[in-house]
Amino acid sequence: RWFTHFYVVSVLWNGFLLIWLFRAEFLGESLPSWIQDMHHALGKDSQSEDTGNEHFSALLVLLLLWLHSCRRLAECLWTSVFSSGVIHIVQYCFGLSYYIAVGSTVLCQVPTNVRNGKELSVQIRWYHIIGVMMYIWASLHQHRCLAILANLRKSRSGKVVSLSHSVPFGDWFEGVSCPHYFAELLIYVSMAITLGIHNVTWWCVVMYVLFNQALAAVLCHEFYQKSFSSYPKHRKAFIPFV
């Protein structure tokens, strides 16, 4: 349940960045000086040419990141049923920092003083469409899987009746033990596609998510195998068939 704090921070911070980038993209305003200073410190040339539609792509990814945080916050508040588990203080502090850093990472991929002036319809590219469609697909499955986990602890009337662990079935659970982690990876991959596929910095973020979610999935998979003797042997930990 402490993850709720991460999504509160993400909704507020990334929503703030989204508003500033929207104003820069559509109202022709410059980003705040402190953001431009951050660009300069990270080696981003604020006067460079916007050759890859960076402003619109970054705006779209920030929007997807913000929507993802809003959905996850809503699920933490109204869908998921948490046990009494705790989180290490180091992991907690890192989580808060991560959701601040990840939005800033998106913003730092664009020149700060460029106004391309193109119409919105002209700016939409094929990778935007593919990225958004993949994002929606992965988000729907992640929500379904989280709902399946929550319903294991609820009665048919929706009342919480247990906080113990049970074996989930349905949707992507038929192939892997932690499909919600796999969906998280796909969501970040969809953002990499939306940024134009070539963005090396965001692929580094994807790699972090891959290793982070894979580790958590393997631990969870081993827990299921040890706790339930009849656990489906064909299920993989994280990625289907891998």
Side-chain angles (χ1 to χ4, degrees), residues 94-163:
F94 179 82
L96 293 176
S97 302
Y98 170 79
Y99 282 99
I100 293 175
V102 73
S104 305
T105 299
V106 177
L107 199 62
C108 286
Q109 302 311 301
V110 299
T112 57
N113 292 334
V114 176
R115 300 178 184 83
N116 52 40
K118 297 178 183 177
E119 295 295 331
L120 179 61
S121 59
V122 176
Q123 296 182 14
I124 296 177
R125 299 289 185 263
W126 62 268
Y127 49 82
H128 295 149
I129 298 173
I130 293 176
V132 171
M133 290 178 63
M134 183 177 179
Y135 170 88
I136 294 173
W137 174 64
S139 297
L140 286 173
H141 279 284
Q142 187 178 55
H143 176 72
R144 289 174 185 171
C145 292
L146 290 170
I148 288 173
L149 286 175
N151 288 335
L152 291 175
R153 295 177 171 179
K154 297 178 182 179
S155 64
R156 290 186 177 181
S157 63
K159 183 179 179 180
V160 177
V161 294
S162 173
L163 293 181

Side-chain angles (χ1 to χ4, degrees), residues 15-207:
F16 169 76
L17 296 181
L18 180 62
I19 291 172
W20 273 110
L21 192 56
F22 179 88
R23 294 172 64 175
E25 174 71 13
F26 295 107
L27 302 181
E29 298 182 10
S30 295
L31 294 172
S33 58
W34 63 269
I35 292 181
Q36 298 189 37
D37 292 340
M38 180 173 64
H39 278 64
H40 179 72
L42 295 175
K44 183 71 177 180
D45 182 6
S46 63
Q47 302 297 333
S48 62
E49 248 185 81
D50 188 7
T51 57
N53 231 6
E54 289 95 340
H55 266 93
F56 180 69
S57 297
L59 178 68
L60 194 52
V61 169
L62 261 182
L63 175 61
L64 296 180
L65 183 63
W66 182 74
L67 290 174
H68 176 60
S69 300
C70 289
R71 178 181 61 81
R72 291 293 295 116
L73 176 60
E75 289 167 344
C76 285
L77 294 175
W78 297 298
T79 301
S80 298
V81 180
F82 299 106
S83 63
S84 57
V86 296
I87 187 173
H88 194 282
I89 184 64
V90 174
Q91 186 183 8
Y92 179 77
C93 293
F94 179 82
L96 293 176
S97 302
Y98 170 79
Y99 282 99
I100 293 175
V102 73
S104 305
T105 299
V106 177
L107 199 62
C108 286
Q109 302 311 301
V110 299
T112 57
N113 292 334
V114 176
R115 300 178 184 83
N116 52 40
K118 297 178 183 177
E119 295 295 331
L120 179 61
S121 59
V122 176
Q123 296 182 14
I124 296 177
R125 299 289 185 263
W126 62 268
Y127 49 82
H128 295 149
I129 298 173
I130 293 176
V132 171
M133 290 178 63
M134 183 177 179
Y135 170 88
I136 294 173
W137 174 64
S139 297
L140 286 173
H141 279 284
Q142 187 178 55
H143 176 72
R144 289 174 185 171
C145 292
L146 290 170
I148 288 173
L149 286 175
N151 288 335
L152 291 175
R153 295 177 171 179
K154 297 178 182 179
S155 64
R156 290 186 177 181
S157 63
K159 183 179 179 180
V160 177
V161 294
S162 173
L163 293 181
S164 62
H165 292 279
S166 303
V167 179
F169 292 93
D171 205 75
W172 286 357
F173 278 109
E174 298 305 317
V176 293
S177 296
C178 301
H180 47 307
Y181 294 160
F182 178 55
E184 184 82 3
L185 173 63
L186 293 181
I187 287 170
Y188 277 84
V189 170
S190 73
M191 294 181 190
I193 295 173
T194 305
L195 276 174
I197 302 178
H198 62 277
N199 192 292
V200 177
T201 302
W202 194 258
W203 281 111
C204 291
V205 176
V206 172
M207 292 303 293

